[in-house]
Amino acid sequence: MIIRQDLAPVLPGKNCFGRMNKKKFLVIHQTGNAARGANAQMHATYQINNTKYKDPREASWHWQVDDKEAIQSFTHDVSCYHASDGSGDGNMHSIAIEGCINADGDYKKSVENMARLAAKILKDENISIMNMKQHYDFARDKKNCPAQIRSGKDGIDWNKFVQMVQGYINEKPIVAGIKVEKPKTDKELADEVIKGIHGTGAERKAKLGSRYDAVQKLVDEMFKPKPVVKPKPVPKPVANKTVTDTYKESGTFYPNDTIIVRNAPSTSATIVARYYKGEHVKYHTVHLKNGYVWLQYTRGNGQQAHIPCRTYSNGKYGTLWGTIK
Ligand SMILES: [Zn+2]
């Protein structure tokens, strides 16, 4: 038997009470629908579609199981509408299984699968088999459910069913023969949508059920055009020379403010002169060092001097403090 999820939306007040289930009981039902095709998937799909109506039918249950698979519609924290006991323990604090009785299914296999699923849930949720109940036990209207088990169809009455569940609980490993199918991730479903597996519009919404919003968001993101990354502008070197720390270049610098001149290209070097607005200096070498562009020139006394003309760091040039010709 395969176990998988096909979750229905949780709409408190519409199709359930909300997430408040203390998981005290496991309640066994049979669907009452013997029509061909009334299998687990049909009932799971019914629970998803039920919420789309303005006035959804006030009925919901956690699991449906047929002769091939068990499908989960609600996680166990949800209090569903199934036990006909208002806000009693049946609805509020139990987990419900509907066993399928569809004419095109194998009835005995379906009941065996329900017993396997019941054993797994009792074990997983640490519920005593004494707290596995019939819908009838809770129903205020004494509804005859699970009808086929209560009437002992095919030799399986309630006592026999309880024995079967106990047998599966005793199996090592617990409940052999169950294959739990991992729920698909939103990404996997989005990939399927793009391949066209889930149709479009209303069909896609119906097929994806409670997963629709998250999956559709991913699909939209996958189709969004990627932002174009602009290349960073390459800083222009002084006088269009290749940027290296030091390079030969001749020119005349006209400062537009007072600038201190030093004997080396560093603000911690010795001050050797000052240049003022209106003066000019003929330089022969450029240094990109220590936060500035330094213009090196030869002084009248033959010594070398360095005048900063703009800031420079990490390839970024500041405004030139004057003009260069
Ligand atoms: Zn029932």
Side-chain angles (χ1 to χ4, degrees):
M1 174 178 58
I2 289 170
I3 285 185
R4 63 187 174 88
Q5 283 187 329
D6 193 4
L7 296 178
V10 173
L11 302 173
K14 282 196 160 182
N15 68 344
C16 65
F17 284 99
R19 299 184 188 275
M20 54 191 72
N21 197 327
K22 291 182 183 155
K23 300 174 244 184
K24 295 181 192 169
F25 298 94
L26 176 64
V27 178
I28 302 300
H29 303 259
Q30 282 174 306
T31 63
N33 187 349
R36 297 179 66 83
N39 58 14
Q41 183 61 68
M42 194 221 81
H43 283 87
T45 302
Y46 171 83
Q47 296 212 78
I48 292 168
N49 289 334
N50 183 41
T51 59
K52 292 171 191 152
Y53 307 128
K54 188 162 157 271
D55 294 306
R57 189 181 145 219
E58 291 188 346
S60 54
W61 51 90
H62 301 84
W63 294 88
Q64 40 269 304
V65 56
D66 62 21
D67 56 342
K68 295 178 185 65
E69 59 180 352
I71 304 176
Q72 184 174 24
S73 294
F74 294 92
T75 51
H76 294 166
D77 57 332
V78 176
S79 300
C80 290
Y81 295 153
H82 59 91
S84 331
D85 70 338
S87 52
D89 275 351
N91 277 333
M92 298 299 290
H93 301 302
S94 71
I95 297 162
I97 305 176
E98 287 279 359
C100 294
I101 57 165
N102 48 309
D104 54 338
D106 177 337
Y107 175 76
K108 262 193 155 172
K109 190 83 177 73
S110 177
V111 175
E112 279 170 21
N113 282 347
M114 178 152 67
R116 282 184 194 277
L117 176 65
K120 178 168 170 31
I121 293 170
L122 292 175
K123 181 74 191 166
D124 288 351
E125 298 293 359
N126 199 24
I127 299 171
S128 160
I129 195 167
M130 299 299 293
N131 283 354
M132 183 176 76
K133 301 289 186 185
Q134 302 175 26
H135 177 186
Y136 173 84
D137 297 328
F138 285 104
R140 288 176 186 163
D141 59 358
K142 293 295 160 201
K143 185 169 179 189
N144 182 30
C145 178
Q148 287 69 28
I149 289 176
R150 286 172 56 76
S151 69
K153 180 176 158 69
D154 290 1
I156 306 170
D157 62 8
W158 181 252
N159 284 337
K160 171 74 177 155
F161 181 74
V162 173
Q163 282 173 24
M164 287 163 69
V165 173
Q166 187 62 60
Y168 290 127
I169 289 174
N170 295 343
E171 270 189 0
K172 300 266 186 295
I174 299 295
V175 197
I178 284 182
K179 181 176 174 285
V180 179
E181 207 169 83
K182 247 197 195 165
K184 284 177 182 161
T185 63
D186 290 347
K187 177 72 170 69
E188 284 167 341
L189 286 172
D191 288 339
E192 288 182 2
V193 164
I194 287 164
K195 284 180 197 157
I197 289 172
H198 299 284
T200 58
E203 186 196 355
R204 185 183 295 174
K205 271 193 165 177
K207 285 193 171 174
L208 294 175
S210 62
R211 308 290 298 277
Y212 177 80
D213 286 345
V215 171
Q216 189 60 44
K217 198 176 155 210
L218 273 182
V219 170
D220 293 345
E221 277 168 15
M222 286 156 85
F223 275 106
K224 216 186 268 175
K226 301 270 184 295
V228 177
V229 179
K230 281 186 191 164
K232 279 184 185 164
V234 178
K236 269 187 202 158
V238 170
N240 299 325
K241 284 279 164 64
T242 307
V243 178
T244 55
D245 282 352
T246 296
Y247 54 88
K248 292 278 175 207
E249 179 185 285
S250 301
T252 307
F253 176 47
Y254 297 81
N256 59 11
D257 207 336
T258 307
I259 301 177
I260 290 167
V261 178
R262 299 178 189 263
N263 67 349
S266 164
T267 49
S268 56
T270 305
I271 296 173
V272 293
R274 277 182 173 76
Y275 266 88
Y276 299 94
K277 187 175 176 178
E279 298 184 316
H280 66 271
V281 55
K282 288 187 176 178
Y283 65 94
H284 56 76
T285 300
V286 177
H287 302 271
L288 308 176
K289 277 180 188 163
N290 305 316
Y292 296 89
V293 176
W294 302 86
L295 306 175
Q296 184 181 347
Y297 66 97
T298 307
R299 298 182 67 199
N301 62 8
Q303 288 175 347
Q304 294 300 304
H306 301 80
I307 179 169
C309 68
R310 69 205 310 184
T311 60
Y312 176 84
S313 76
N314 298 323
K316 280 193 175 171
Y317 292 86
T319 311
L320 190 62
W321 304 330
T323 51
I324 286 176
K325 285 178 184 166

